[in-house]
Short mmCIF file of all heavy atoms in Angstrom, two decimals:
data_model
loop_
_atom_site.label_atom_id
_atom_site.label_comp_id
_atom_site.label_asym_id
_atom_site.label_seq_id
_atom_site.Cartn_x
_atom_site.Cartn_y
_atom_site.Cartn_z
N MET A 1 70.01 56.89 44.30
CA MET A 1 69.10 56.66 43.23
C MET A 1 69.57 55.37 42.44
O MET A 1 70.70 55.11 42.18
CB MET A 1 69.31 57.82 42.18
CG MET A 1 68.45 57.69 40.97
SD MET A 1 68.42 59.05 39.83
CE MET A 1 69.69 58.67 38.70
N SER A 3 70.06 52.90 39.51
CA SER A 3 70.58 53.14 38.17
C SER A 3 69.46 53.29 37.16
O SER A 3 68.39 52.65 37.17
CB SER A 3 71.58 52.06 37.68
OG SER A 3 72.06 52.31 36.46
N ILE A 4 69.68 54.10 36.09
CA ILE A 4 68.72 54.27 35.01
C ILE A 4 69.60 54.38 33.64
O ILE A 4 70.66 54.96 33.74
CB ILE A 4 67.87 55.57 35.24
CG1 ILE A 4 66.95 55.73 34.02
CG2 ILE A 4 68.71 56.78 35.45
CD1 ILE A 4 65.97 56.85 34.06
N ALA A 5 69.19 53.64 32.76
CA ALA A 5 69.81 53.65 31.48
C ALA A 5 68.86 53.47 30.33
O ALA A 5 67.77 52.80 30.51
CB ALA A 5 70.95 52.59 31.46
N TRP A 6 69.14 54.02 29.21
CA TRP A 6 68.30 53.92 28.04
C TRP A 6 68.19 52.28 27.63
O TRP A 6 69.14 51.60 27.79
CB TRP A 6 68.88 54.57 26.81
CG TRP A 6 68.06 54.26 25.55
CD1 TRP A 6 68.49 53.34 24.63
CD2 TRP A 6 66.80 54.73 25.17
NE1 TRP A 6 67.54 53.21 23.64
CE2 TRP A 6 66.49 54.14 23.93
CE3 TRP A 6 65.96 55.72 25.71
CZ2 TRP A 6 65.43 54.47 23.25
CZ3 TRP A 6 64.75 55.92 25.08
CH2 TRP A 6 64.50 55.36 23.81
N SER A 7 67.03 51.94 27.26
CA SER A 7 66.80 50.58 26.77
C SER A 7 65.64 50.75 25.68
O SER A 7 65.00 51.78 25.66
CB SER A 7 66.41 49.62 27.80
OG SER A 7 65.03 49.80 28.16
N PHE A 10 62.10 52.02 26.32
CA PHE A 10 61.73 53.45 26.29
C PHE A 10 61.35 53.96 24.85
O PHE A 10 60.86 55.09 24.78
CB PHE A 10 62.87 54.26 26.82
CG PHE A 10 63.03 54.14 28.33
CD1 PHE A 10 64.24 53.52 28.77
CD2 PHE A 10 62.22 54.61 29.21
CE1 PHE A 10 64.53 53.43 30.12
CE2 PHE A 10 62.37 54.56 30.58
CZ PHE A 10 63.60 53.90 30.98
N ASP A 18 63.22 59.46 20.49
CA ASP A 18 63.97 58.46 21.25
C ASP A 18 65.28 59.07 21.58
O ASP A 18 65.81 58.90 22.70
CB ASP A 18 64.14 57.11 20.43
CG ASP A 18 62.91 56.29 20.43
OD1 ASP A 18 62.00 56.62 21.19
OD2 ASP A 18 62.86 55.38 19.65
N SER A 19 65.95 59.76 20.61
CA SER A 19 67.26 60.37 20.84
C SER A 19 67.13 61.48 22.06
O SER A 19 68.00 61.49 22.93
CB SER A 19 67.77 61.06 19.60
OG SER A 19 68.98 61.71 19.86
N ASP A 20 66.08 62.31 21.93
CA ASP A 20 65.77 63.26 22.97
C ASP A 20 65.71 62.59 24.32
O ASP A 20 66.25 63.01 25.35
CB ASP A 20 64.54 64.04 22.75
CG ASP A 20 64.63 65.08 21.77
OD1 ASP A 20 65.77 65.34 21.30
OD2 ASP A 20 63.60 65.74 21.52
N HIS A 21 65.00 61.43 24.42
CA HIS A 21 64.78 60.76 25.72
C HIS A 21 66.16 60.25 26.25
O HIS A 21 66.39 60.25 27.37
CB HIS A 21 63.76 59.64 25.50
CG HIS A 21 62.41 60.17 25.37
ND1 HIS A 21 61.35 59.46 24.64
CD2 HIS A 21 61.78 61.32 25.78
CE1 HIS A 21 60.26 60.15 24.69
NE2 HIS A 21 60.42 61.27 25.39
N ARG A 22 66.92 59.73 25.26
CA ARG A 22 68.37 59.21 25.71
C ARG A 22 69.11 60.40 26.42
O ARG A 22 69.78 60.20 27.40
CB ARG A 22 69.08 58.75 24.48
CG ARG A 22 68.78 57.33 24.03
CD ARG A 22 69.70 56.88 22.95
NE ARG A 22 69.23 55.68 22.41
CZ ARG A 22 68.53 55.52 21.21
NH1 ARG A 22 68.21 56.64 20.50
NH2 ARG A 22 68.17 54.41 20.80
N ILE A 23 69.04 61.55 25.73
CA ILE A 23 69.81 62.78 26.27
C ILE A 23 69.23 63.12 27.68
O ILE A 23 69.94 63.37 28.48
CB ILE A 23 69.72 63.90 25.31
CG1 ILE A 23 70.59 63.53 24.04
CG2 ILE A 23 70.23 65.21 25.95
CD1 ILE A 23 70.31 64.41 22.88
N LEU A 24 67.94 63.13 27.78
CA LEU A 24 67.36 63.46 29.10
C LEU A 24 67.75 62.48 30.18
O LEU A 24 68.08 62.87 31.27
CB LEU A 24 65.80 63.56 28.96
CG LEU A 24 65.25 64.76 28.17
CD1 LEU A 24 63.83 64.65 27.85
CD2 LEU A 24 65.54 66.07 28.90
N ILE A 25 67.74 61.25 29.88
CA ILE A 25 68.22 60.20 30.83
C ILE A 25 69.63 60.37 31.19
O ILE A 25 70.00 60.38 32.32
CB ILE A 25 67.96 58.73 30.27
CG1 ILE A 25 66.37 58.49 30.27
CG2 ILE A 25 68.70 57.67 31.03
CD1 ILE A 25 66.04 57.25 29.52
N ASP A 26 70.46 60.68 30.15
CA ASP A 26 71.88 60.96 30.42
C ASP A 26 72.10 62.21 31.33
O ASP A 26 72.98 62.22 32.24
CB ASP A 26 72.73 61.09 29.14
CG ASP A 26 72.92 59.81 28.29
OD1 ASP A 26 72.64 58.75 28.94
OD2 ASP A 26 73.26 59.96 27.09
N LEU A 27 71.28 63.16 31.14
CA LEU A 27 71.35 64.39 31.89
C LEU A 27 71.04 64.13 33.36
O LEU A 27 71.58 64.66 34.23
CB LEU A 27 70.60 65.61 31.25
CG LEU A 27 71.25 66.22 30.08
CD1 LEU A 27 70.24 67.17 29.35
CD2 LEU A 27 72.45 66.99 30.41
N LEU A 28 69.94 63.33 33.50
CA LEU A 28 69.48 63.02 34.77
C LEU A 28 70.57 62.16 35.47
O LEU A 28 70.83 62.43 36.63
CB LEU A 28 68.25 62.11 34.75
CG LEU A 28 67.39 61.90 36.04
CD1 LEU A 28 67.16 63.25 36.71
CD2 LEU A 28 66.22 61.17 35.76
N VAL A 29 71.28 61.24 34.85
CA VAL A 29 72.32 60.45 35.44
C VAL A 29 73.45 61.45 35.85
O VAL A 29 74.02 61.24 36.91
CB VAL A 29 72.83 59.34 34.44
CG1 VAL A 29 74.14 58.66 34.99
CG2 VAL A 29 71.73 58.24 34.36
N GLN A 30 73.82 62.34 34.90
CA GLN A 30 74.94 63.34 35.28
C GLN A 30 74.49 64.19 36.52
O GLN A 30 75.30 64.42 37.39
CB GLN A 30 75.08 64.31 34.11
CG GLN A 30 75.78 63.73 32.89
CD GLN A 30 75.90 64.74 31.81
OE1 GLN A 30 76.13 65.87 32.02
NE2 GLN A 30 75.77 64.14 30.59
N LEU A 31 73.14 64.60 36.67
CA LEU A 31 72.76 65.26 37.74
C LEU A 31 72.90 64.53 39.06
O LEU A 31 73.46 65.00 40.13
CB LEU A 31 71.30 65.78 37.60
CG LEU A 31 70.68 66.59 38.77
CD1 LEU A 31 71.49 67.89 38.90
CD2 LEU A 31 69.24 66.85 38.48
N PHE A 32 72.49 63.23 39.01
CA PHE A 32 72.65 62.35 40.10
C PHE A 32 74.15 62.19 40.49
O PHE A 32 74.55 62.40 41.59
CB PHE A 32 72.08 61.03 39.90
CG PHE A 32 72.35 59.97 41.02
CD1 PHE A 32 71.75 60.20 42.29
CD2 PHE A 32 73.36 58.99 40.90
CE1 PHE A 32 72.12 59.31 43.35
CE2 PHE A 32 73.68 58.22 41.94
CZ PHE A 32 73.06 58.39 43.27
N ASP A 33 75.00 61.93 39.50
CA ASP A 33 76.39 61.76 39.80
C ASP A 33 77.06 63.06 40.35
O ASP A 33 77.83 63.03 41.31
CB ASP A 33 77.24 61.42 38.51
CG ASP A 33 76.91 60.05 38.08
OD1 ASP A 33 76.45 59.19 38.80
OD2 ASP A 33 77.15 59.71 36.89
N ALA A 34 76.65 64.23 39.88
CA ALA A 34 77.24 65.49 40.37
C ALA A 34 76.74 65.72 41.84
O ALA A 34 77.55 66.21 42.60
CB ALA A 34 76.76 66.64 39.55
N VAL A 47 74.44 71.41 35.38
CA VAL A 47 73.76 70.20 34.98
C VAL A 47 72.21 70.35 35.11
O VAL A 47 71.46 70.03 34.29
CB VAL A 47 74.30 68.98 35.70
CG1 VAL A 47 73.49 67.76 35.28
CG2 VAL A 47 75.72 68.79 35.48
N LEU A 48 71.82 70.88 36.17
CA LEU A 48 70.37 71.13 36.52
C LEU A 48 69.80 72.15 35.42
O LEU A 48 68.72 71.90 34.80
CB LEU A 48 70.10 71.71 37.85
CG LEU A 48 68.64 71.84 38.28
CD1 LEU A 48 67.86 70.63 38.09
CD2 LEU A 48 68.65 72.40 39.62
N ALA A 50 71.05 72.64 32.36
CA ALA A 50 71.04 71.88 31.07
C ALA A 50 69.87 70.94 31.05
O ALA A 50 69.14 70.84 29.88
CB ALA A 50 72.35 71.15 30.90
N LEU A 51 69.59 70.23 32.09
CA LEU A 51 68.39 69.28 32.08
C LEU A 51 67.10 70.12 31.96
O LEU A 51 66.23 69.67 31.12
CB LEU A 51 68.40 68.58 33.46
CG LEU A 51 67.21 67.66 33.72
CD1 LEU A 51 67.19 66.54 32.66
CD2 LEU A 51 67.19 67.09 35.08
N SER A 52 67.02 71.20 32.63
CA SER A 52 65.75 72.06 32.46
C SER A 52 65.60 72.50 31.09
O SER A 52 64.52 72.45 30.51
CB SER A 52 65.89 73.11 33.46
OG SER A 52 64.76 74.10 33.27
N TYR A 54 67.02 71.44 28.30
CA TYR A 54 66.79 70.41 27.18
C TYR A 54 65.39 69.85 27.38
O TYR A 54 64.80 69.46 26.35
CB TYR A 54 67.86 69.32 27.25
CG TYR A 54 67.91 68.57 26.03
CD1 TYR A 54 68.64 69.10 24.92
CD2 TYR A 54 67.13 67.36 25.87
CE1 TYR A 54 68.61 68.40 23.69
CE2 TYR A 54 67.07 66.80 24.58
CZ TYR A 54 67.86 67.23 23.54
OH TYR A 54 67.84 66.59 22.33
N VAL A 108 65.89 64.39 43.11
CA VAL A 108 66.54 63.69 41.87
C VAL A 108 65.78 62.46 41.72
O VAL A 108 65.39 62.00 40.57
CB VAL A 108 68.02 63.41 42.13
CG1 VAL A 108 68.56 62.67 40.99
CG2 VAL A 108 68.74 64.73 42.30
N LEU A 111 62.53 63.23 39.92
CA LEU A 111 62.78 63.44 38.46
C LEU A 111 62.94 62.24 37.66
O LEU A 111 62.46 62.06 36.58
CB LEU A 111 63.99 64.39 38.30
CG LEU A 111 63.79 65.86 38.85
CD1 LEU A 111 65.10 66.61 38.72
CD2 LEU A 111 62.68 66.56 38.04
N LYS A 112 63.69 61.36 38.27
CA LYS A 112 63.89 59.92 37.58
C LYS A 112 62.56 59.25 37.44
O LYS A 112 62.29 58.68 36.38
CB LYS A 112 64.89 59.04 38.46
CG LYS A 112 65.01 57.74 37.87
CD LYS A 112 65.74 56.83 38.85
CE LYS A 112 65.31 55.36 38.62
NZ LYS A 112 65.41 54.54 39.70
N LEU A 115 60.31 61.11 34.90
CA LEU A 115 60.80 60.80 33.49
C LEU A 115 60.49 59.40 32.99
O LEU A 115 59.93 59.30 31.96
CB LEU A 115 62.20 61.19 33.37
CG LEU A 115 62.87 61.08 31.96
CD1 LEU A 115 62.10 62.04 30.97
CD2 LEU A 115 64.37 61.26 31.95
N THR A 116 60.92 58.50 33.80
CA THR A 116 60.70 57.14 33.35
C THR A 116 59.13 56.68 33.20
O THR A 116 58.80 56.15 32.16
CB THR A 116 61.36 56.00 34.27
OG1 THR A 116 60.91 56.22 35.63
CG2 THR A 116 62.89 56.21 34.20
N ILE A 119 57.80 58.60 30.12
CA ILE A 119 58.13 57.94 28.83
C ILE A 119 57.40 56.56 28.70
O ILE A 119 56.73 56.40 27.61
CB ILE A 119 59.62 57.73 28.80
CG1 ILE A 119 60.38 59.07 28.64
CG2 ILE A 119 59.99 56.89 27.46
CD1 ILE A 119 61.89 58.95 28.73
#
Side-chain angles (χ1 to χ4, degrees):
M1 176 174 95
S3 181
I4 179 177
W6 171 262
S7 76
F10 287 111
D18 285 346
S19 177
D20 280 355
H21 290 153
R22 281 185 189 99
I23 291 168
L24 288 168
I25 289 169
D26 287 345
L27 285 167
L28 192 56
V29 168
Q30 288 178 37
L31 181 62
F32 173 73
D33 289 345
V47 175
L48 182 58
L51 177 62
S52 175
Y54 199 84
V108 177
L111 293 173
K112 175 193 155 203
L115 181 62
T116 56
I119 294 170

